[in-house]
């Protein structure tokens, strides 16, 4: 009996071959030969970039052999796998297998269909204002009826809610259509996955993973610019998903036409659907977002309205700055204002020192080293234990939190770099750790408090 992994591998191989034949058939002038010979072929295996195709009669082999280059091209288009085609009669193939002993197992990675969504980024806690209304409407339309706008392309400056909306779409679809397979990723992780798949010879598994989704949510697509292999692979995946009516949502820091180093055919695909932008929040929206963020901190003292007005008008270029201002204020209250029963504007101004310096106050200056040291001492561990291979529960918990904090607090650090900081782990381990922490923060208030506490220590 075939094993489950081998079964899936064969199903995909057969599917790719059927699509290859369909493309060949569409381009073939000789329908009779195609219908009577080509459609009788079968894809048997793919080993070392050689695709073995069988046919009943040895006399018909040459028809397929003559077309093998063209077939290999179509096979590459549909699967992303470059392979040469070897044609055998069924008899030849059976003889070859009898001669082989033992049968070589097809090595395929176990598929990881973790959707990588952050459960706390939803439509419910996304504040809508003039700056983002169109983007939120489009995202909601796609979530209610995947395929409505395909692709949906969201772009804006940093920190204005693109990732939030991507996750909101995913979380909404996950609840409303539990059967749908959703994948949130960012272009950096896509490139890393692809490079890893090439290195490990697991391109088929990589392809299956991305092509089998119903909703692909891909963040920061600008990251694949100038990376030819990744762009080509993404192009093929995009086409397959779009042809089969699967929803793709893309975000970027620029509109498609302004993406430098992006292949024209990709730019044109991106423009095919709906492109919307998110602007900086205007005062009213900034204030509403601010109130929402304060509400989620569950503090038990009031903040004067004029403090909110001050923050909303000085920190509205990036929602992360609004969040940073709240953190600064609450931290300052803990340190210098424990006896105060409310936060006044004078106190806030003192906390922010000088509005022109606010970015200095709110900027995260933590480094991987300071984060590792802070987390290790918080959990009574050494940094060596934190980055070790130990599987002890309390060490794993602290390690995951440290990885998450490095990702959150160190600007522009990649998953690969974080892996290097933690004993040479690979990027997928870090991605999984970060998504575990996010999930657990949602589920366990004590865990969340510990992380907030650590964040404040590191601010
Ligand atoms: N309208 C909003 N309502 C509530 N929170 C928001 C809103 N917009 C942004 N945020 C919050 O601001 C933070 C930054 O948002 P997000 O990560 O989605 O920005 P982004 O546009 O993807 O940034 P980048 O381009 O840097 O990746 C997140 O914590 C997000 O929840």
């Amino acid at each position: 009996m075939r094993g489950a992994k081998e079964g899936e591998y064969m199903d995909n191989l057969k599917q790719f071959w059927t699509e290859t034949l369909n493309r060949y058939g569409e381009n073939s002038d000789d329908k009779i030969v195609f219908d009577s010979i080509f459609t009788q072929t079968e894809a048997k295996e793919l080993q070392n970039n050689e695709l073995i195709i069988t046919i009943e009669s040895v006399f018909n082999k040459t028809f397929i052999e003559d077309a093998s280059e063209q077939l290999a091209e179509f096979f590459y288009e549909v699967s992303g796998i470059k392979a040469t085609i070897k044609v055998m009669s069924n008899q030849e193939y059976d003889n070859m297998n009898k001669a082989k002993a033992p049968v070589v197992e097809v090595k395929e990675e176990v598929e990881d269909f973790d959707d990588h969504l952050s459960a706390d980024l939803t439509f419910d806690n996304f504040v809508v204002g003039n700056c983002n209304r169109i983007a939120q409407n489009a995202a909601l339309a796609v979530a209610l009826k995947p395929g409505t706008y395909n692709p949906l392309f969201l772009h804006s400056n940093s920190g204005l809610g693109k990732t939030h909306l991507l996750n909101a779409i995913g979380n909404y679809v996950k609840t409303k259509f539990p059967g749908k397979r959703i994948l949130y990723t960012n272009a950096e992780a896509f490139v890393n996955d692809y490079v890893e798949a090439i290195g490990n010879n697991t391109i088929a598994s990589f392809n299956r993973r991305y092509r089998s989704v119903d909703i692909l949510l891909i963040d920061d697509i600008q990251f694949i610019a100038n990376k030819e292999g990744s762009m080509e692979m993404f192009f093929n995946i995009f086409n397959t998903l779009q042809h089969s009516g699967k929803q793709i949502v893309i975000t970027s820091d620029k509109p498609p036409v302004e993406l430098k180093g992006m292949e024209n055919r990709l730019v044109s695909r991106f423009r095919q659907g709906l492109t919307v932008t998110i602007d900086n929040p205007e005062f009213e929206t900034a204030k509403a977002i601010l109130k929402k963020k304060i509400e989620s901190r569950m503090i038990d003292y009031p903040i004067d309205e004029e403090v909110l007005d001050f923050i909303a008008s000085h920190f509205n270029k990036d929602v992360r700055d609004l969040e940073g201002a709240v953190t600064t204020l609450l931290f300052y209250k803990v340190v210098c204002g424990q006896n105060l029963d409310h936060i006044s504007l004078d106190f806030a101004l003192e906390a922010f020192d000088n509005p022109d310096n606010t970015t200095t106050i709110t900027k995260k200056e933590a480094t991987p080293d300071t984060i590792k040291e802070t987390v290790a001492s918080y959990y009574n561990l050494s940094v060596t234990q934190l980055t070790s291979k130990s599987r002890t529960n309390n060490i794993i918990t602290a390690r995951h939190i440290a990885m998450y904090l490095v990702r959150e607090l160190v600007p522009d650090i990649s998953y690969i770099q974080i892996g290097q900081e933690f004993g040479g782990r690979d990027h997928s381990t870090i991605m999984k750790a970060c998504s575990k922490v996010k999930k657990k923060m949602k589920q366990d208030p004590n865990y969340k408090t510990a992380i907030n506490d650590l964040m404040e220590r590191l601010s």
Side-chain angles (χ1 to χ4, degrees):
M1 210 167 80
R2 291 189 317 187
K5 281 185 274 173
E6 188 186 354
E8 269 178 49
Y9 161 82
M10 283 310 298
D11 290 346
N12 277 291
L13 194 58
K14 283 186 195 309
Q15 177 66 29
F16 288 147
W17 185 242
T18 307
E19 285 176 34
T20 302
L21 285 178
N22 288 345
R23 289 196 185 196
Y24 185 85
E26 281 163 18
N27 289 281
S28 163
D29 296 331
D30 196 337
K31 297 286 176 216
I32 298 181
V33 171
F34 178 76
D35 288 343
S36 57
I37 298 176
F38 282 72
T39 54
Q40 305 305 312
T41 55
E42 231 185 295
K44 288 291 192 198
E45 58 185 83
L46 181 64
Q47 291 275 0
N48 302 325
N49 293 336
E50 186 179 66
L51 174 65
I52 299 184
I53 300 300
T54 59
I55 187 154
E56 182 55 42
S57 164
V58 74
F59 302 110
N60 289 334
K61 266 172 63 180
T62 49
F63 285 99
I64 316 295
E65 281 165 348
D66 289 348
S68 62
E69 275 185 21
Q70 173 91 73
L71 287 166
E73 262 176 46
F74 287 137
F75 182 74
Y76 176 57
E77 279 177 22
V78 301
S79 68
I81 302 167
K82 269 202 165 74
T84 52
I85 291 182
K86 182 175 168 93
V87 191
M88 302 177 101
S89 69
N90 286 338
Q91 186 67 57
E92 286 169 334
Y93 181 71
D94 289 346
N95 292 345
M96 178 184 83
N97 276 339
K98 273 182 211 146
K100 267 194 218 163
V103 177
V104 181
E105 268 243 14
V106 182
K107 284 206 176 95
E108 284 297 316
E109 277 182 356
V110 177
E111 307 267 354
D112 167 15
F113 273 106
D114 184 351
D115 54 32
H116 293 301
L117 289 170
S118 302
D120 54 338
L121 300 177
T122 62
F123 284 117
D124 287 345
N125 58 17
F126 187 82
V127 176
V128 184
N130 291 340
C131 58
N132 57 26
R133 180 164 288 109
I134 297 175
Q136 189 267 1
N137 284 353
L140 194 56
V142 158
L144 287 166
K145 194 161 180 268
T148 310
Y149 304 113
N150 211 6
L152 172 61
F153 192 101
L154 302 173
H155 65 93
S156 78
N157 289 337
S158 186
L160 298 183
K162 300 181 293 295
T163 303
H164 193 132
L165 281 178
L166 269 190
N167 279 277
I169 295 171
N171 286 318
Y172 188 92
V173 173
K174 197 169 164 176
T175 322
K176 293 282 166 200
F177 311 102
K180 293 244 186 249
R181 188 168 266 181
I182 306 158
L183 179 63
Y184 165 85
T185 189
N186 58 40
E188 180 192 346
F190 178 86
V191 171
N192 292 337
D193 274 357
Y194 179 48
V195 170
E196 205 171 280
I198 296 172
N200 297 339
N201 213 3
T202 52
I203 287 288
S205 154
F206 172 91
N207 259 307
R208 271 205 306 282
R209 183 167 139 76
Y210 283 92
R211 286 165 198 254
S212 63
V213 300
D214 297 304
I215 314 251
L216 178 63
L217 306 163
I218 184 145
D219 218 354
D220 295 325
I221 196 69
Q222 70 275 5
F223 192 84
I224 65 165
N226 293 315
K227 299 185 177 75
E228 279 173 30
S230 300
M231 282 195 284
E232 172 143 24
M233 184 46 89
F234 186 70
F235 178 75
N236 290 327
I237 291 170
F238 183 103
N239 283 341
T240 306
L241 292 179
Q242 205 191 33
H243 281 150
S244 41
K246 308 297 164 110
Q247 177 69 53
I248 305 157
V249 187
I250 301 169
T251 74
S252 164
D253 63 348
K254 291 187 186 58
V257 280
E258 288 176 27
L259 286 169
K260 297 218 166 60
M262 192 68 81
E263 277 184 18
N264 286 340
R265 56 185 184 157
L266 266 178
V267 171
S268 120
R269 294 294 185 292
F270 295 164
R271 296 174 67 194
Q272 214 175 358
L274 177 67
T275 299
V276 284
T277 184
I278 305 176
D279 291 323
N280 290 352
E282 62 287 4
F283 173 79
E284 291 77 7
T285 312
K287 192 166 167 187
I289 294 175
L290 185 61
K291 284 189 164 173
K292 195 97 181 165
K293 299 290 170 195
I294 291 172
E295 214 177 273
S296 70
R297 302 281 183 116
M298 290 188 286
I299 52 170
D300 54 5
Y301 46 85
I303 299 178
D304 292 357
E305 207 61 21
E306 49 187 3
V307 175
L308 303 183
D309 290 351
F310 175 80
I311 298 177
S313 53
H314 283 85
F315 296 82
N316 58 357
K317 295 275 174 295
D318 176 334
V319 176
R320 288 194 194 98
D321 285 348
L322 285 174
E323 291 175 331
V326 175
T327 304
T328 304
L329 197 59
L330 303 190
F331 176 67
Y332 200 73
K333 166 88 169 63
V334 171
V335 178
C336 307
Q338 280 187 357
N339 301 327
L340 299 177
D341 57 1
H342 73 292
I343 292 186
S344 66
L345 184 57
D346 281 348
F347 181 81
L349 290 178
E350 218 180 280
F352 299 132
D353 191 18
N354 167 355
D356 296 334
N357 287 339
T358 48
T359 39
T360 332
I361 296 167
T362 56
K363 276 276 176 274
K364 298 150 180 168
E365 285 172 355
T367 65
D369 284 340
T370 55
I371 294 172
K372 283 189 275 184
E373 280 156 20
T374 309
V375 175
S377 99
Y378 191 86
Y379 284 98
N380 284 326
L381 300 169
S382 67
V383 171
T384 315
Q385 283 175 306
L386 198 69
T387 57
S388 69
K389 300 267 179 262
S390 166
R391 306 292 307 153
T392 313
N393 276 347
N394 65 327
I395 299 182
I396 296 177
T397 304
R399 185 183 299 136
H400 284 177
I401 290 176
M403 288 168 172
Y404 167 79
L405 290 173
V406 172
R407 178 71 184 178
E408 288 295 304
L409 301 183
V410 180
D412 300 327
I413 192 159
S414 68
Y415 288 117
I416 290 187
Q417 287 166 319
I418 303 176
Q420 284 156 1
E421 290 288 343
F422 286 84
R425 290 174 159 87
D426 73 20
H427 74 278
S428 59
T429 309
I430 312 299
M431 272 186 89
K432 277 181 205 154
C434 293
S435 74
K436 268 189 198 155
V437 173
K438 284 184 194 165
K439 271 187 193 154
K440 204 159 169 202
M441 278 169 78
K442 186 78 186 160
Q443 292 156 354
D444 180 349
N446 292 332
Y447 186 84
K448 188 172 175 178
T449 306
I451 290 176
N452 286 341
D453 197 11
L454 278 162
M455 281 209 167
E456 280 181 7
R457 286 173 194 221
L458 287 159
S459 299

